[in-house]
Amino acid sequence: MKILVVCQHYWPEPYPLTNTCEELARRGHTVHVLTDVPNYPLGVTYEGYEKGKNRIQERNGVKIFRSFTVPRKKGPVFRVMNYYSYSLSSEQYLKNLDNDYDVVFANQSSPIMMVRAAMKYRKLHGTKVLLYCMDLWPASLSAGGISSGAVYQHYLKVSQHYYKQADRILVTSEMFKQYFNDVIGIPAEKIGWLPQFADDSFEDSPVTENRDGKFHLMFAGNIGTAQSVDTILKAAEIIEKEYSCNDVQFDIVGDGSELEHLKQLKREMGIHNVEFLGRKPKEEMPKYYAMADAMMVTLVNDEFISLTLPAKVQSYMAAGKPVFAAATGEIPKVIENSGCGICVPPEDFRALAKAIMDNRNREYLKEAGRKGREYYDANFNKKIVVDRLEEELSRLTGK
C-alpha cells in the first residue's frame, strides 16, 4: 500500500507514531508522513530545523514532509497559533504531494484540527481515511476547565465535522466507543479498538537497580493538569509525616505545564521524599525505569479523561514493572484484568498512600510485574497492534 500519514507530531519529537510508520515501511509499504516542524514538548524549534531547514527528510524507509508550524513556546496564545498553523499549512501543503495514495492514516491526539489535511485529501481525491483517535475531542478540553459554554460548543461542532468524515475510526481505549456514539453521533460499527504499544526498548528494560535501599516509585511522562501529579505529592506527604516512613522515595520524570507549581507545592509541604528528575530523552527512559521498584499513573477525577488509557501504562507493563494508580475508567480495568498492580480512586491520595504502604512486599511486586508483562505480550505488543492496523488499512483500500 501507498500510505499518507497525517499527524502534527513525528520524529524527532517523542511521539509513538514514529515506531508504527517505520514498522509499516519495514513490511514493504510506501509510507509518507505530513507533519510539523519539530518543537514539541518544550515549544522551541529543534536545532537543525530553523529557517526552512530539513523540510523533507527520509528516516528508516519513511519519507517525511514538514509544513510550516509556529512553535508552541509558552502560554495559550502561542499554543493556539501552533495548532492552527499546522492545521492550515498542512492543508496547503497537499498540492506538493502525490495524488495516488491508496489510503490516508490520520493519527489524532490534540487538537482535533490536526486531521484537517487528511479530510481535505479525501475530498480532493476520494481516498478513504482511517482516523486513529488517541485523545477525545472536545472531551480533552475538560482538562483545561472547559466542559461547557461557547468554546466547548464550537469545538464540539468542529470535532463532529472531522470525525464524521472519517471512513473508519480506531480508538486507543475501548471506553471511547460509547462517547463517540452518545456525544459525537458515530455508529458503533464504524469504530474499532487499536491499543498503543510500547517502544521496543522497554521490552528489554534492565532489571531493577536498588540504589540506596529505599522503595522507589516513579511517575514518568507529561506533567499537566490532567495527570494530577499533586495526588502523588499529597500521598508522599502522608507517608513521610503520618506514617513516619523515610524509606519510600517518589521520582518524577518529565516536564509540563504543572511542573513549577508542583515544585513550589513540595517546598510548601516541606517534604523530602519527592525528587523531580526533569525530562529525559526517550532512549534513556528504560534506564530510569530500571531504577524504580514500581511505576505510577494518576489522572484527575473527570468523567471524560477517565476514558483514556495513557500509553505509559503499556510501557510500564512492557518493562515488567508493577503499577500503583489513582484513576477510574479504563486504567483500573486494565490493571484488574492483568493483575499488574493496584488502583485506587482518582485524587484519593490517602488511599494511594495506604496502598503503597500495604503492598511493598517484594514477592508481590515481582509477581505483579510478571503478570503485567504477560498481559502486554498477549494484548499490546507491536506485532499484534501493527498486524491489526495493517488489516484495517487494507480493508479500506480493498487490496
Side-chain angles (χ1 to χ4, degrees), residues 294-324:
M295 307 300 290
M296 303 193 72
V297 56
T298 50
L299 288 178
V300 295
N301 188 14
D302 180 277
E303 63 174 316
F304 296 128
I305 291 174
S306 70
L307 304 178
T308 63
L309 180 63
K312 72 178 69 179
V313 176
Q314 282 93 327
S315 297
Y316 294 170
M317 296 171 78
K321 293 293 182 179
V323 180
F324 287 91

Side-chain angles (χ1 to χ4, degrees), residues 1-21:
M1 289 178 287
K2 187 174 182 180
I3 306 166
L4 173 61
V5 180
V6 176
C7 183
Q8 184 163 347
H9 305 296
Y10 196 75
W11 171 88
E13 295 174 325
Y15 200 76
L17 175 63
T18 303
N19 289 331
T20 301
C21 291

Side-chain angles (χ1 to χ4, degrees), residues 7-19 35-46 49 59 66 69-72 82 86 114 279 282:
C7 183
Q8 184 163 347
H9 305 296
Y10 196 75
W11 171 88
E13 295 174 325
Y15 200 76
L17 175 63
T18 303
N19 289 331
T35 188
D36 69 348
V37 177
N39 66 98
Y40 175 83
L42 298 182
V44 179
T45 299
Y46 284 29
Y49 293 88
R59 181 178 189 265
R66 301 186 186 278
T69 316
V70 175
R72 294 162 64 97
N82 172 260
Y86 172 74
M114 70 169 61
R279 178 174 172 264
K282 184 183 73 172

